[in-house]
Structures are given as structure tokens and as C-alpha cells.
Amino acid sequence: MNAKTFTTAALIGSMFLASATFAAGGPRNSDGGGRSAETADSEDLTTIEVDDLQFMREEEKLARDVYLTMDQYWGDRTQVFARIALSEESHTSTVDYLLKKFDVEDPVVNDTIGVFTNQELQALYDELVAKGKNSFVDGLFVGGLIEEKDMRDILAAINQTDERAIILAYSNLLDGSKSHLKAFVSVIEAQGLTYEPQVLDAEEVELILEDESQVED
């Protein structure tokens, strides 16, 4: 499966992607082998898989923290930030479950809003909050950027693992991000504006927005 086909399949239907990946034995490790969930333990994870889990844990926390902060500024104009923040709390908890399952160290040592171990995410949080508090519309576009970035990173992580539990969890996170993006775009369009893709290709974003099968997260 080439990169473009993989991305398109994922954006059309994450659960289809997960099923197809399982049927094919999953993406391969460097030794060419696949692994079953029954035999997996922490020693089976590659360094890339561990790094991705830890990054995803804090990236989902970043989404939650930014939306909680944006709700403080713009909660009187929309409930979209508060509603999606609740979903992101569930997402970061899902990754926390995987960290425990595979005995991986949790990078979230301080769950305070706006505090991160990963300095790249710390800088991104600061940048996005500074931008999002400028105006209501800026806040909404920040939400769109976060969800597009999440999808790009989740897709990359799925392509780096053959652990079924991880693939299924990431696929669920991907579905959530698609739903969140659609929610932000809906509010943006209600302001009489047009949403312009910020991370993903325009074709990919169009697929997401036109997908009527997407279940609300």
C-alpha cells in the first residue's frame, strides 16, 4: 500500500483501515514479521512505537488543554471548545491505557493545563493559545489546525506499528479528529467564512468534510 493510498483509505474510513491492516498482518517491522496481540508485551514494542505512544499521549493532552483555554475566551459564543475538550480527555486517557498496557513510561508527569514534557509540544501550545485568543475566528482555526495535525501524526503512527491494540486505538482517535474538524468547520462556516486546509492536502480535507458516514465523537 503506497503512502497516498494508505492516507486516502484512512481518511475515508478508519475502521476499514484497521480491519484491512489486521487482514494483511499489519505493517511490518524491520525483521519482516508481524505480531499478534496475544503475544505482545512491552519488550515487543520498537523504539518508534514507544516514542509515538508517548508523543500521542501529550498531543491529545495539548488538544484538550488548548480547547479548555479557548473555552475560557470564547465559551460565551460557542460550546464547541468545551464539548471537544471532553472528547480529548477521553482520547488522552485512551493513550494512557496503552502506556500502562505496554509498560511504557507516561510523559504526563504534571496534568496541569499547558504543561508538557515534550518541548516541541510545549512551544506549540504556547503558540496556539497566543494565536487563538486574538479572536473568536482565530480560535476556531486553531482548532482546525490541531485536528489536521493530529490526523497527520496518527496516520504516521499507524503506519509504524503492527500491534493490533495500538492500531485500533489510533483508528478511533483518527475518527474522533475527523469529527472534531467537521465541528470546527461548521462553526467557521456559520460565521460566513470558508475553511482553508492548514496541514493536510485540500483533497484530504474535502474527503473528510464530505464523509456523511462519520459518527459524532
Side-chain angles (χ1 to χ4, degrees), residues 47-83:
T47 300
I48 291 175
E49 287 170 326
V50 170
D51 289 346
D52 283 345
L53 280 173
Q54 292 177 323
F55 185 84
M56 208 66 64
R57 166 76 159 136
E58 286 205 291
E59 187 170 52
E60 296 296 332
K61 178 183 183 295
L62 178 145
R64 181 203 69 179
D65 291 0
V66 171
Y67 298 156
L68 287 173
T69 303
M70 290 299 97
D71 185 60
Q72 294 178 359
Y73 284 94
W74 313 118
D76 60 335
R77 300 190 59 177
T78 181
Q79 291 299 304
V80 70
F81 293 114
R83 178 169 57 82

Side-chain angles (χ1 to χ4, degrees), residues 4-43:
K4 186 63 176 179
T5 302
F6 180 87
T7 301
T8 302
L11 292 171
I12 291 174
S14 302
M15 295 309 295
F16 170 79
L17 167 68
S19 298
T21 303
F22 294 163
R28 302 293 180 177
N29 290 328
S30 58
D31 63 0
R35 296 168 294 175
S36 68
E38 290 78 9
T39 61
D41 57 35
S42 60
E43 294 183 356

Side-chain angles (χ1 to χ4, degrees), residues 141 144-145 148-149 181 185 188 194-209:
F141 270 91
L145 186 151
E148 287 191 51
K149 181 181 184 302
L181 178 60
V185 170
I188 288 170
T194 299
Y195 183 78
E196 296 292 339
Q198 303 175 80
V199 177
L200 300 175
D201 292 342
E203 177 186 358
E204 294 169 339
V205 171
E206 183 179 0
L207 281 173
I208 295 166
L209 299 181

Side-chain angles (χ1 to χ4, degrees), residues 156-170:
I158 289 175
N159 207 25
Q160 294 288 352
T161 185
D162 61 4
E163 286 290 351
R164 297 189 179 196
I166 295 176
I167 292 171
L168 181 59
Y170 284 169

